[in-house]
Coordinates of all heavy atoms in Angstrom, one line a residue:
M1434 N 0.8 -1.2 0.0 CA 0.0 0.0 0.0 C 0.9 1.2 0.0 O 1.9 1.3 0.7 CB -0.9 0.0 1.2 CG -1.6 1.3 1.5 SD -2.5 1.3 3.1 CE -3.6 0.0 2.8
F1435 N 0.6 2.2 -0.8 CA 1.3 3.4 -0.9 C 0.4 4.6 -0.4 O -0.8 4.6 -0.6 CB 1.8 3.8 -2.3 CG 2.9 2.9 -2.8 CD1 2.5 1.8 -3.6 CD2 4.2 3.1 -2.5 CE1 3.5 0.9 -4.0 CE2 5.2 2.3 -2.9 CZ 4.8 1.2 -3.7
I1436 N 1.0 5.5 0.3 CA 0.3 6.6 0.9 C 1.0 7.9 0.4 O 2.3 8.0 0.4 CB 0.4 6.7 2.5 CG1 -0.2 5.4 3.0 CG2 -0.3 7.9 3.0 CD1 0.2 5.1 4.4
D1437 N 0.3 8.8 -0.2 CA 0.9 10.1 -0.6 C 1.4 10.8 0.6 O 0.8 10.9 1.6 CB -0.1 11.0 -1.3 CG -0.6 10.4 -2.7 OD1 0.2 9.7 -3.3 OD2 -1.7 10.7 -3.1
G1438 N 2.6 11.4 0.4 CA 3.3 12.1 1.5 C 2.9 13.6 1.4 O 2.1 14.1 0.6
P1439 N 3.6 14.4 2.3 CA 3.3 15.8 2.5 C 3.7 16.6 1.4 O 3.3 17.8 1.2 CB 4.0 16.1 3.8 CG 5.0 15.1 3.9 CD 4.5 13.9 3.3
S1440 N 4.7 16.2 0.5 CA 5.1 17.0 -0.6 C 5.0 16.1 -1.9 O 5.0 14.9 -1.8 CB 6.6 17.4 -0.3 OG 7.4 16.3 -0.2
P1441 N 5.0 16.8 -3.0 CA 4.9 16.1 -4.3 C 6.0 15.0 -4.4 O 7.2 15.3 -4.1 CB 5.0 17.1 -5.3 CG 4.6 18.4 -4.6 CD 5.0 18.2 -3.2
G1442 N 5.6 13.8 -4.8 CA 6.6 12.8 -5.0 C 7.0 12.0 -3.7 O 7.6 11.0 -3.8
A1443 N 6.5 12.5 -2.6 CA 6.8 11.7 -1.3 C 5.9 10.5 -1.2 O 4.7 10.6 -1.5 CB 6.6 12.6 -0.1
E1444 N 6.4 9.4 -0.9 CA 5.6 8.2 -0.7 C 6.0 7.5 0.5 O 7.1 7.6 1.0 CB 5.8 7.2 -1.9 CG 5.2 7.7 -3.2 CD 5.5 6.6 -4.3 OE1 6.2 5.7 -4.0 OE2 4.9 6.8 -5.3
Y1445 N 5.1 6.7 1.0 CA 5.3 5.8 2.2 C 4.8 4.5 1.8 O 3.8 4.3 1.1 CB 4.6 6.3 3.4 CG 5.0 7.7 3.8 CD1 4.3 8.8 3.5 CD2 6.1 7.9 4.6 CE1 4.7 10.1 3.8 CE2 6.5 9.1 5.0 CZ 5.8 10.2 4.6 OH 6.2 11.5 4.9
R1446 N 5.5 3.5 2.3 CA 5.1 2.1 2.0 C 4.7 1.4 3.3 O 5.5 1.5 4.3 CB 6.2 1.3 1.4 CG 5.9 -0.1 1.0 CD 7.0 -0.8 0.3 NE 7.1 -0.2 -1.0 CZ 7.1 -0.9 -2.1 NH1 6.9 -2.2 -2.1 NH2 7.2 -0.3 -3.2
L1447 N 3.5 0.9 3.3 CA 3.0 0.2 4.5 C 3.0 -1.3 4.2 O 2.3 -1.8 3.3 CB 1.6 0.7 4.8 CG 0.9 0.0 6.0 CD1 1.6 0.2 7.3 CD2 -0.6 0.5 6.1
R1448 N 3.9 -2.0 5.0 CA 3.9 -3.5 4.8 C 3.1 -4.1 5.9 O 3.2 -3.8 7.1 CB 5.4 -3.9 5.0 CG 5.5 -5.4 4.7 CD 6.9 -5.9 4.9 NE 7.3 -5.8 6.3 CZ 8.6 -5.5 6.7 NH1 9.5 -5.3 5.8 NH2 8.9 -5.5 8.0
L1449 N 2.2 -5.0 5.4 CA 1.2 -5.6 6.3 C 1.5 -7.1 6.5 O 1.0 -7.7 7.5 CB -0.2 -5.4 5.8 CG -0.6 -3.9 5.7 CD1 -2.0 -3.8 5.1 CD2 -0.6 -3.3 7.1
L1450 N 2.1 -7.7 5.6 CA 2.5 -9.2 5.7 C 3.8 -9.3 6.4 O 4.7 -8.5 6.2 CB 2.5 -9.8 4.4 CG 1.2 -9.8 3.6 CD1 1.3 -10.5 2.2 CD2 0.1 -10.6 4.4
G1451 N 3.9 -10.3 7.3 CA 5.1 -10.5 8.1 C 5.0 -9.5 9.2 O 4.0 -9.2 9.8
S1452 N 6.1 -8.8 9.5 CA 6.1 -7.8 10.6 C 5.7 -6.5 10.0 O 6.3 -6.0 9.1 CB 7.5 -7.6 11.2 OG 8.0 -8.8 11.8
P1453 N 4.5 -5.9 10.5 CA 4.1 -4.7 9.9 C 5.1 -3.6 10.1 O 5.8 -3.5 11.1 CB 2.8 -4.3 10.8 CG 2.4 -5.6 11.3 CD 3.6 -6.4 11.5
A1454 N 5.2 -2.7 9.0 CA 6.3 -1.7 9.0 C 5.8 -0.6 8.1 O 5.1 -0.8 7.2 CB 7.6 -2.2 8.6
L1455 N 6.4 0.6 8.4 CA 6.1 1.8 7.6 C 7.5 2.3 7.1 O 8.4 2.5 7.9 CB 5.4 2.8 8.4 CG 5.0 4.1 7.7 CD1 4.0 3.8 6.5 CD2 4.4 5.1 8.7
A1456 N 7.6 2.6 5.8 CA 8.9 3.1 5.3 C 8.6 4.3 4.4 O 7.6 4.4 3.8 CB 9.6 2.0 4.5
S1457 N 9.6 5.2 4.3 CA 9.6 6.3 3.4 C 10.6 6.0 2.3 O 11.3 5.0 2.4 CB 9.8 7.6 4.1 OG 11.2 7.6 4.6
R1458 N 10.8 7.0 1.4 CA 11.8 6.8 0.4 C 13.2 6.7 1.0 O 14.1 6.1 0.4 CB 11.8 8.0 -0.6 CG 10.6 8.0 -1.5 CD 10.8 9.1 -2.5 NE 9.6 9.2 -3.3 CZ 9.5 8.7 -4.5 NH1 10.5 7.9 -5.0 NH2 8.4 8.8 -5.2
S1459 N 13.4 7.3 2.2 CA 14.7 7.2 2.8 C 14.9 6.0 3.7 O 16.0 5.8 4.3 CB 15.0 8.5 3.6 OG 14.0 8.7 4.6
G1460 N 13.9 5.2 3.8 CA 14.1 3.9 4.6 C 13.0 3.7 5.7 O 12.0 4.5 5.8
Q1461 N 13.2 2.7 6.5 CA 12.3 2.3 7.5 C 12.1 3.4 8.5 O 13.0 4.1 8.9 CB 12.9 1.1 8.3 CG 12.0 0.5 9.3 CD 11.2 -0.6 8.8 OE1 11.4 -1.1 7.7 NE2 10.3 -1.2 9.6
M1462 N 10.8 3.7 8.9 CA 10.5 4.7 9.8 C 10.4 4.1 11.2 O 10.1 2.9 11.3 CB 9.2 5.4 9.4 CG 9.3 6.1 8.1 SD 7.7 6.9 7.6 CE 7.7 8.2 8.9
S1463 N 10.6 4.9 12.2 CA 10.4 4.5 13.6 C 9.7 5.6 14.4 O 9.5 6.7 13.9 CB 11.8 4.2 14.2 OG 12.6 5.3 14.2
G1464 N 9.4 5.3 15.6 CA 8.7 6.3 16.4 C 7.3 5.9 16.7 O 6.8 4.8 16.4
R1465 N 6.6 6.8 17.4 CA 5.2 6.5 17.8 C 4.3 6.2 16.7 O 3.4 5.4 16.9 CB 4.7 7.7 18.6 CG 3.5 7.5 19.3 CD 3.2 8.5 20.3 NE 1.9 8.2 21.0 CZ 1.4 8.9 21.9 NH1 2.0 9.9 22.4 NH2 0.3 8.5 22.5
A1466 N 4.5 6.8 15.5 CA 3.6 6.5 14.4 C 3.7 5.2 13.8 O 2.9 4.8 12.9 CB 3.8 7.6 13.3
T1467 N 4.7 4.4 14.2 CA 4.9 3.1 13.6 C 4.6 1.9 14.5 O 5.0 0.8 14.3 CB 6.4 3.0 13.1 OG1 7.3 3.1 14.2 CG2 6.8 4.0 12.1
G1468 N 3.9 2.3 15.6 CA 3.4 1.2 16.5 C 2.3 0.4 15.9 O 1.8 0.7 14.8
G1469 N 1.8 -0.5 16.7 CA 0.7 -1.4 16.2 C -0.6 -0.8 15.8 O -1.1 -1.0 14.7
R1470 N -1.1 0.1 16.7 CA -2.4 0.7 16.4 C -2.3 1.7 15.3 O -3.1 1.8 14.4 CB -3.0 1.3 17.6 CG -3.6 0.2 18.5 CD -4.7 0.7 19.4 NE -5.3 -0.4 20.1 CZ -5.2 -0.6 21.4 NH1 -4.5 0.2 22.2 NH2 -5.8 -1.6 22.0
P1471 N -1.2 2.6 15.2 CA -1.1 3.5 14.1 C -1.0 2.8 12.8 O -1.7 3.2 11.8 CB 0.2 4.3 14.4 CG 0.2 4.3 15.9 CD -0.3 2.9 16.3
L1472 N -0.3 1.7 12.7 CA -0.2 0.9 11.5 C -1.5 0.2 11.2 O -1.9 0.2 10.0 CB 1.0 -0.1 11.6 CG 2.4 0.5 11.6 CD1 3.4 -0.7 11.7 CD2 2.7 1.4 10.5
A1473 N -2.2 -0.2 12.2 CA -3.5 -0.8 12.0 C -4.5 0.2 11.5 O -5.3 -0.1 10.6 CB -4.0 -1.5 13.3
L1474 N -4.4 1.4 12.0 CA -5.3 2.5 11.5 C -5.0 2.8 10.1 O -6.0 2.9 9.3 CB -5.1 3.7 12.4 CG -5.9 5.0 11.9 CD1 -7.4 4.7 11.9 CD2 -5.6 6.1 12.9
L1475 N -3.8 2.9 9.7 CA -3.4 3.1 8.3 C -4.0 2.0 7.4 O -4.5 2.3 6.3 CB -1.9 3.3 8.1 CG -1.3 4.6 8.6 CD1 0.2 4.5 8.4 CD2 -1.8 5.7 7.8
A1476 N -3.8 0.8 7.8 CA -4.3 -0.4 7.0 C -5.8 -0.3 6.9 O -6.4 -0.5 5.8 CB -3.9 -1.7 7.7
L1477 N -6.5 0.0 8.0 CA -8.0 0.1 7.9 C -8.4 1.3 7.0 O -9.3 1.1 6.2 CB -8.6 0.4 9.3 CG -8.6 -0.9 10.2 CD1 -8.9 -0.4 11.7 CD2 -9.6 -1.9 9.7
L1478 N -7.8 2.4 7.1 CA -8.1 3.6 6.2 C -7.9 3.2 4.8 O -8.6 3.6 3.9 CB -7.3 4.8 6.6 CG -7.7 5.4 8.0 CD1 -6.7 6.5 8.4 CD2 -9.1 5.9 8.0
G1479 N -6.8 2.5 4.5 CA -6.5 2.1 3.1 C -7.4 1.1 2.6 O -7.7 1.1 1.4
S1480 N -8.0 0.3 3.5 CA -8.9 -0.8 3.0 C -10.3 -0.3 3.0 O -11.2 -1.0 2.5 CB -8.8 -2.0 3.8 OG -9.2 -1.8 5.2
G1481 N -10.6 0.9 3.5 CA -12.0 1.4 3.6 C -12.6 1.8 2.2 O -13.8 2.0 2.2
G1482 N -11.8 1.9 1.2 CA -12.4 2.3 -0.1 C -12.8 3.7 -0.1 O -12.5 4.5 0.8
S1483 N -13.5 4.1 -1.2 CA -13.9 5.5 -1.4 C -14.9 5.9 -0.3 O -15.0 7.1 0.0 CB -14.5 5.7 -2.7 OG -15.7 4.9 -2.9
R1484 N -15.6 5.0 0.3 CA -16.6 5.4 1.3 C -15.9 5.6 2.7 O -16.5 6.3 3.6 CB -17.7 4.3 1.5 CG -18.6 4.2 0.2 CD -19.7 3.3 0.4 NE -20.5 3.8 1.6 CZ -21.6 3.2 2.0 NH1 -21.9 2.1 1.5 NH2 -22.2 3.7 3.0
G1485 N -14.8 5.1 2.9 CA -14.1 5.2 4.1 C -14.7 4.5 5.3 O -15.6 3.6 5.0
L1486 N -14.3 4.7 6.5 CA -14.9 4.1 7.7 C -15.2 5.2 8.7 O -14.6 6.2 8.8 CB -13.8 3.2 8.3 CG -13.4 2.0 7.4 CD1 -12.2 1.3 8.1 CD2 -14.5 1.0 7.3
T1487 N -16.3 5.0 9.4 CA -16.7 5.9 10.4 C -15.8 5.9 11.6 O -15.1 4.9 11.9 CB -18.2 5.7 10.9 OG1 -18.2 4.4 11.6 CG2 -19.1 5.6 9.7
R1488 N -15.8 6.9 12.4 CA -15.0 7.0 13.6 C -15.5 5.8 14.6 O -14.7 5.2 15.2 CB -15.2 8.3 14.4 CG -14.5 9.4 13.7 CD -14.7 10.7 14.6 NE -14.0 11.8 13.9 CZ -14.6 12.7 13.1 NH1 -15.9 12.5 12.8 NH2 -14.0 13.7 12.6
D1489 N -16.8 5.6 14.6 CA -17.3 4.6 15.5 C -16.8 3.2 15.1 O -16.5 2.4 15.9 CB -18.9 4.6 15.5 CG -19.4 5.7 16.3 OD1 -18.7 6.3 17.1 OD2 -20.6 6.1 16.0
K1490 N -16.7 3.0 13.7 CA -16.2 1.7 13.3 C -14.7 1.5 13.6 O -14.3 0.5 14.1 CB -16.4 1.6 11.7 CG -15.9 0.3 11.1 CD -16.8 -0.8 11.5 CE -16.5 -2.1 10.7 NZ -17.3 -3.2 11.1
L1491 N -14.0 2.6 13.4 CA -12.5 2.6 13.7 C -12.3 2.4 15.2 O -11.4 1.5 15.6 CB -11.8 3.8 13.2 CG -11.8 4.0 11.7 CD1 -11.3 5.4 11.4 CD2 -10.9 3.0 11.1
T1492 N -13.0 3.1 16.0 CA -12.8 2.9 17.5 C -13.2 1.6 17.9 O -12.6 1.0 18.8 CB -13.5 4.0 18.3 OG1 -14.9 4.0 18.0 CG2 -12.9 5.4 18.0
G1493 N -14.3 1.0 17.3 CA -14.8 -0.3 17.7 C -13.8 -1.4 17.3 O -13.6 -2.4 18.1
L1494 N -13.1 -1.2 16.2 CA -12.1 -2.2 15.8 C -10.8 -2.1 16.6 O -10.1 -3.1 16.9 CB -11.8 -2.0 14.3 CG -13.0 -2.5 13.4 CD1 -12.7 -2.0 12.0 CD2 -13.2 -4.0 13.4
L1495 N -10.3 -0.8 16.8 CA -9.0 -0.6 17.4 C -9.0 -0.5 18.9 O -8.0 -0.9 19.6 CB -8.4 0.7 16.8 CG -8.1 0.6 15.3 CD1 -7.7 2.0 14.8 CD2 -7.0 -0.4 15.1
W1496 N -10.1 -0.1 19.5 CA -10.2 0.0 21.0 C -11.5 -0.5 21.5 O -12.4 0.2 22.1 CB -10.1 1.5 21.4 CG -8.7 2.1 21.1 CD1 -7.6 2.0 21.8 CD2 -8.3 2.8 19.9 NE1 -6.5 2.6 21.2 CE2 -7.0 3.1 20.0 CE3 -9.0 3.2 18.8 CZ2 -6.3 3.8 19.1 CZ3 -8.3 4.0 17.8 CH2 -7.0 4.3 18.0
P1497 N -11.8 -1.8 21.2 CA -13.1 -2.4 21.5 C -13.5 -2.4 23.0 O -14.7 -2.3 23.3 CB -13.0 -3.8 21.0 CG -11.6 -4.1 21.0 CD -10.9 -2.8 20.7
D1498 N -12.6 -2.4 23.9 CA -12.9 -2.5 25.3 C -12.9 -1.2 26.0 O -13.0 -1.1 27.2 CB -11.8 -3.4 26.0 CG -11.9 -4.9 25.4 OD1 -13.0 -5.3 25.0 OD2 -10.8 -5.5 25.4
Q1499 N -12.6 -0.1 25.3 CA -12.6 1.2 25.9 C -13.9 1.9 25.8 O -14.7 1.7 24.9 CB -11.6 2.1 25.1 CG -10.1 1.6 25.2 CD -9.6 1.6 26.7 OE1 -9.8 2.5 27.4 NE2 -9.0 0.5 27.1
P1500 N -14.3 2.8 26.8 CA -15.5 3.6 26.7 C -15.4 4.5 25.4 O -14.3 4.8 25.0 CB -15.4 4.5 27.9 CG -14.5 3.7 28.9 CD -13.5 3.0 28.0
N1501 N -16.5 4.9 24.9 CA -16.5 5.6 23.6 C -15.7 6.9 23.7 O -14.9 7.1 22.8 CB -18.0 6.0 23.3 CG -18.1 6.5 21.9 OD1 -17.5 6.0 20.9 ND2 -18.9 7.5 21.7
A1502 N -15.8 7.6 24.7 CA -15.0 8.9 24.8 C -13.5 8.6 24.9 O -12.7 9.3 24.2 CB -15.4 9.7 26.1
T1503 N -13.1 7.6 25.6 CA -11.7 7.2 25.6 C -11.2 6.8 24.3 O -10.1 7.1 23.8 CB -11.5 6.1 26.7 OG1 -12.0 6.6 27.9 CG2 -10.0 5.8 26.8
A1504 N -12.0 5.9 23.6 CA -11.6 5.4 22.3 C -11.5 6.6 21.3 O -10.6 6.6 20.5 CB -12.6 4.4 21.8
R1505 N -12.4 7.5 21.3 CA -12.4 8.6 20.4 C -11.1 9.5 20.6 O -10.5 10.0 19.7 CB -13.7 9.5 20.5 CG -14.8 8.8 19.7 CD -16.0 9.7 19.7 NE -17.0 9.2 18.8 CZ -17.3 9.8 17.7 NH1 -16.8 10.9 17.3 NH2 -18.2 9.3 16.9
H1506 N -10.8 9.7 21.9 CA -9.6 10.4 22.2 C -8.4 9.7 21.7 O -7.4 10.3 21.1 CB -9.5 10.7 23.7 CG -8.2 11.3 24.1 ND1 -8.0 12.7 23.9 CD2 -7.1 10.9 24.6 CE1 -6.8 13.0 24.3 NE2 -6.2 11.9 24.8
S1507 N -8.3 8.4 21.9 CA -7.2 7.6 21.4 C -7.1 7.7 19.9 O -6.0 7.7 19.3 CB -7.4 6.1 21.8 OG -7.3 6.0 23.2
L1508 N -8.2 7.6 19.2 CA -8.2 7.8 17.7 C -7.7 9.1 17.3 O -6.8 9.2 16.4 CB -9.6 7.6 17.2 CG -9.8 7.8 15.7 CD1 -8.9 6.8 14.9 CD2 -11.3 7.7 15.3
A1509 N -8.1 10.2 18.0 CA -7.7 11.6 17.6 C -6.2 11.7 17.9 O -5.4 12.3 17.1 CB -8.4 12.6 18.4
D1510 N -5.7 11.1 19.0 CA -4.3 11.1 19.3 C -3.4 10.3 18.3 O -2.4 10.8 17.9 CB -4.1 10.5 20.7 CG -2.7 10.7 21.3 OD1 -2.2 11.8 21.3 OD2 -2.0 9.6 21.6
T1511 N -3.9 9.2 17.9 CA -3.2 8.4 16.9 C -3.2 9.1 15.5 O -2.1 9.2 14.9 CB -3.9 7.0 16.7 OG1 -3.9 6.4 18.0 CG2 -3.2 6.2 15.7
V1512 N -4.3 9.8 15.1 CA -4.3 10.5 13.9 C -3.3 11.7 14.0 O -2.5 12.0 13.1 CB -5.7 11.0 13.6 CG1 -5.7 12.1 12.4 CG2 -6.6 9.9 13.2
Y1513 N -3.3 12.4 15.1 CA -2.3 13.5 15.4 C -0.9 13.0 15.1 O -0.1 13.6 14.4 CB -2.5 14.0 16.8 CG -1.4 15.0 17.2 CD1 -1.4 16.3 16.7 CD2 -0.3 14.6 17.9 CE1 -0.4 17.2 17.1 CE2 0.7 15.4 18.3 CZ 0.7 16.7 17.8 OH 1.7 17.6 18.2
H1514 N -0.5 11.9 15.7 CA 0.9 11.4 15.6 C 1.2 10.9 14.2 O 2.3 11.1 13.7 CB 1.1 10.3 16.7 CG 1.3 10.9 18.0 ND1 2.4 11.6 18.5 CD2 0.4 10.9 19.1 CE1 2.2 12.0 19.7 NE2 1.0 11.6 20.1
L1515 N 0.2 10.3 13.5 CA 0.4 10.0 12.1 C 0.6 11.2 11.3 O 1.5 11.2 10.4 CB -0.7 9.1 11.6 CG -0.8 7.7 12.1 CD1 -2.1 7.0 11.7 CD2 0.4 6.9 11.5
R1516 N -0.2 12.2 11.4 CA -0.1 13.4 10.6 C 1.3 14.1 10.9 O 1.9 14.7 10.1 CB -1.2 14.3 10.9 CG -2.5 13.9 10.2 CD -3.6 14.8 10.4 NE -4.7 14.4 9.6 CZ -6.0 14.7 9.8 NH1 -6.3 15.4 10.9 NH2 -6.9 14.3 9.0
K1517 N 1.7 14.1 12.2 CA 3.0 14.7 12.6 C 4.1 14.0 11.8 O 5.1 14.6 11.4 CB 3.1 14.6 14.1 CG 4.3 15.4 14.6 CD 4.3 15.4 16.1 CE 5.5 16.1 16.7 NZ 5.6 16.0 18.1
A1518 N 4.0 12.7 11.8 CA 5.1 11.9 11.1 C 5.0 11.9 9.6 O 6.0 11.9 8.9 CB 5.0 10.4 11.6
L1519 N 3.8 11.9 9.0 CA 3.6 11.7 7.6 C 3.3 13.0 6.9 O 3.3 13.1 5.7 CB 2.5 10.7 7.3 CG 2.7 9.3 7.9 CD1 1.6 8.4 7.6 CD2 4.0 8.7 7.5
G1520 N 2.8 14.0 7.6 CA 2.3 15.2 7.0 C 0.8 15.2 7.0 O 0.1 14.2 6.9
D1521 N 0.2 16.4 7.1 CA -1.2 16.6 7.2 C -2.0 16.0 6.0 O -3.1 15.4 6.2 CB -1.6 18.1 7.3 CG -1.3 18.7 8.6 OD1 -1.1 17.9 9.6 OD2 -1.1 19.9 8.7
G1522 N -1.4 16.0 4.8 CA -2.1 15.5 3.7 C -2.1 14.0 3.5 O -2.7 13.4 2.6
A1523 N -1.3 13.3 4.4 CA -1.2 11.8 4.2 C -2.4 11.1 4.6 O -2.8 10.1 4.1 CB 0.0 11.3 5.0
I1524 N -3.2 11.6 5.6 CA -4.4 11.0 6.0 C -5.5 12.0 6.3 O -5.2 13.2 6.5 CB -4.3 10.0 7.3 CG1 -3.8 10.8 8.5 CG2 -3.4 8.9 7.0 CD1 -3.9 10.0 9.7

């Protein structure tokens, strides 16, 4: 799966088979945006098609045991860290 990056020509590669990983043109990325849930969120968003997925669906899949308010906060926090790492236009 490829994700458009923050500048023209920037790309990220999301590997889902084997050990999940996120890489840019300059190599493997690390940090908070490359943890399990952020990568799972990217995979879900990529598989959502043109209709996408609702916040409720995403929180239900990624934080099923959390109260709704806590899950929504976790989703917002995860999106924030992904945008910080990948650029606002990436997701």
Side-chain angles (χ1 to χ4, degrees):
M1434 168 187 298
F1435 290 97
I1436 303 165
D1437 291 332
S1440 60
E1444 287 182 351
Y1445 300 96
R1446 182 176 292 237
L1447 177 61
R1448 185 179 66 213
L1449 299 174
L1450 297 176
S1452 297
L1455 184 62
S1457 68
R1458 289 183 184 268
S1459 60
Q1461 185 96 4
M1462 296 180 68
S1463 61
R1465 189 166 181 178
T1467 62
R1470 284 202 175 111
L1472 294 182
L1474 176 58
L1475 287 176
L1477 287 168
L1478 291 172
S1480 67
S1483 61
R1484 293 188 59 183
L1486 297 170
T1487 66
R1488 284 182 183 96
D1489 289 337
K1490 182 71 170 177
L1491 292 170
T1492 57
L1494 291 168
L1495 295 171
W1496 296 276
D1498 299 328
Q1499 297 296 318
N1501 191 42
T1503 303
R1505 281 182 169 252
H1506 176 77
S1507 295
L1508 176 61
D1510 188 58
T1511 301
V1512 168
Y1513 169 81
H1514 287 286
L1515 284 169
R1516 285 183 173 154
K1517 189 174 176 184
L1519 305 177
D1521 288 338
I1524 61 169

